[in-house]
Amino acid sequence: MKEFWTALASLMGVFAFFQSIVHAVLPLELRLAAVKIFHWVFRCFSTYCYFDITDTDGVNTNELYDAVQLYLSRSASFSASRLSLSRGLNSSTFTFGLSNNDRLVDTFRGATATWVHAVTQRQSQTFSLHPLPEDKRSFSLRIKKKDRPLILPAYLDHIMETATELRRRSKDRLLHTNSRGGSMDRWFPWESVPFKHPSTFETLAMDPSRKELIMADLKYFAEGKAFYEKTGRAWKRGYLLYGPPGTGKSSMIAAMANYLGYDIYDLELTEVRTNSELRKLLMKTTSKSIIVIEDIDCSLNLTNRSSKKASPSTDSSSDLSSVVGSEDVGAGAKTITLSGLLNFTDGLWSCCGSERIFVFTTNHIEKLDPALVRSGRMDMHIHMSHCSFPALQILMKNYLGFDDGELDGKTENSDLLRQLEEVIDEAELTPADVSEVLIKNRRREKAAAAAELHDVLKERAERRMNKKRNAAGEETEEEEEEQEKRALESTSNKSDQVLDSCNGKAEQGKVEQV
Ligand SMILES: Nc1ncnc2c1ncn2[C@@H]1O[C@H](COP(=O)(O)OP(=O)(O)OP(=O)(O)O)[C@@H](O)[C@H]1O
Ligand SMILES: [Mg+2]
């Protein structure tokens, strides 16, 4: 035994001696090259192959990294002996995180996949306007070389799909905004909060047939990967929601996100200064998301637009590049152009990601630049209108607890329902107005609350009728005055003509006299 320890000690001594010689004789570059060659030789003879999945690809966040993290933390968490736990602010679920060098083993189609998570510090960065995060994170996947054709890329597809499904099921969606201090100089220009809006298509008050049409359209889109690939179209869709305030445009967006399980990017256009900032924001959005620009008409600077339009050029492209949010503020002049915005939704940059929905909302569709609303740009124009009777029925269900049987018009409520149906269109109340009345009366008995609603609707309808009648009366008065004026004018014209003809004769006579 003693001999063994003596031999080991002398072996280590020899190794240390050679190491010091190598360090003294070989320069650093040569040593690094030697290490690389050693790794290369090792990999050539190894039965395994390795794949590194980093958190960024240098510019964009790597969706695969996020998917792997979610997949491993939810699917394989039970097989790991040590994991870090976290729960996001306002989030309803716990997330298992992986620390440095954590190792997880997964199996797919009978093959073993070993994952190792590595967190290293990024080497000191040179000055940059867009610094990267301090930590560099990556997953390393190790599989047997012989399994490679069997499980790649199917395994990665499986991970992406599972992560998507997990996200959808967790109902933990995010609402990203660029207006809450998200700085363009930072790595991630969007600030995020958990998205908890409870609006769904079920609670949304609108005609069921139109609702179904929209839901079918969304579903077709979400499942339409093959269709978009086959037709060579970018996998994105645009919706323009327009209508008066309080008709449910924002509620519809929330319902869309909840229906599809997508995140929302709420883009505050007035916070974006240049087209390149806009493009960068777009690049930092993930797929399976809804990118929203609310009140698009208010984001457009019509003064600048018209001044540009006043230029002699009649070229339609000049119209397209009209300034949107421009403000002449010297060096920091804002230079977002309409063409920049259209590129954002339509152009090549809009495709740097997939499965994305663009939603614009406006109260004044007539104020929008024709370039924005021309057919083909926004795939679907959805008019959110005043509360109709079918929409009212949904609100009565939501707020007062009426059920389908009570609303089918064959029960003791049928009279009340008929009366509501008679006045609802004339009252022209928005779903938000109706909701207010119902909220105020929600503690009362259903029928009493509905009767109160009827009174409000009736009063409003009558007021509108009176207004119309008065307006019509004023119009008739105006018309009568107009007619009188015309009659008077025609009489005076006739006498003028008589005078003229007399004068004419006099002139002629005069001429003749001359
Ligand atoms: N169609 C609807 N279905 C259910 N609730 C609605 C609907 N429309 C409005 N509401 C209610 O009114 C409130 C305001 O609606 P919402 O913010 O969606 O309107 P909007 O059309 O986006 O208005 P604005 O044009 O002012 O942004 C919502 O919180 C919701 O409770
Ligand atoms: Mg809104």
Side-chain angles (χ1 to χ4, degrees), residues 244-251 253 294-295 361 363:
T247 48
K249 296 179 292 299
S250 305
S251 309
I253 296 169
E294 289 248 43
D295 299 319
T361 75
N363 296 142

Side-chain angles (χ1 to χ4, degrees), residues 173-177 191-196 263-266:
R173 271 173 281 296
L174 291 175
L175 172 64
H176 307 272
T177 174
E191 291 280 314
S192 313
V193 289
F195 176 66
K196 301 258 180 198
D263 286 347
I264 293 184
Y265 288 87
D266 186 9

Side-chain angles (χ1 to χ4, degrees), residues 370-437:
L372 258 176
V373 284
R374 75 149 170 79
S375 66
R377 186 136 277 146
M378 289 280 120
D379 301 287
M380 218 177 182
H381 292 192
I382 302 172
H383 182 211
M384 304 298 288
S385 56
H386 290 108
C387 194
S388 61
F389 185 61
L392 176 68
Q393 285 177 305
I394 295 170
L395 291 176
M396 285 169 73
K397 256 197 226 174
N398 294 348
Y399 288 87
L400 303 180
F402 278 90
D403 59 36
D404 288 332
E406 290 168 308
L407 291 170
D408 69 0
K410 289 179 194 138
T411 57
E412 70 269 23
N413 297 316
S414 56
D415 274 351
L416 184 56
L417 286 173
R418 194 178 32 76
Q419 287 166 3
L420 284 169
E421 191 172 5
E422 275 168 15
V423 285
I424 184 75
D425 287 335
E426 190 52 50
E428 271 202 4
L429 281 187
T430 62
D433 298 329
V434 175
S435 306
E436 274 308 306
V437 179

Side-chain angles (χ1 to χ4, degrees), residues 312-346:
S313 165
T314 49
D315 180 4
S316 67
S317 64
S318 74
D319 191 29
L320 282 184
S321 60
S322 51
V323 178
V324 171
S326 173
E327 232 172 65
D328 215 354
V329 284
K334 295 187 173 185
T335 54
I336 302 183
T337 60
L338 185 57
S339 75
L341 180 64
L342 296 179
N343 263 332
F344 179 82
T345 57
D346 236 12

Side-chain angles (χ1 to χ4, degrees), residues 216-235:
D217 194 75
L218 288 169
K219 193 155 182 275
Y220 192 73
F221 168 77
E223 291 170 358
K225 187 177 182 198
F227 166 80
Y228 282 88
E229 269 171 14
K230 195 177 84 187
T231 51
R233 290 170 70 102
W235 193 7

Side-chain angles (χ1 to χ4, degrees), residues 55-56 120-125 132-137:
D55 57 350
T56 72
T120 49
Q121 251 196 328
R122 207 173 284 281
Q123 281 170 351
S124 61
Q125 298 176 42
L132 296 166
E134 275 180 14
D135 284 341
K136 198 169 142 190
R137 292 160 180 274

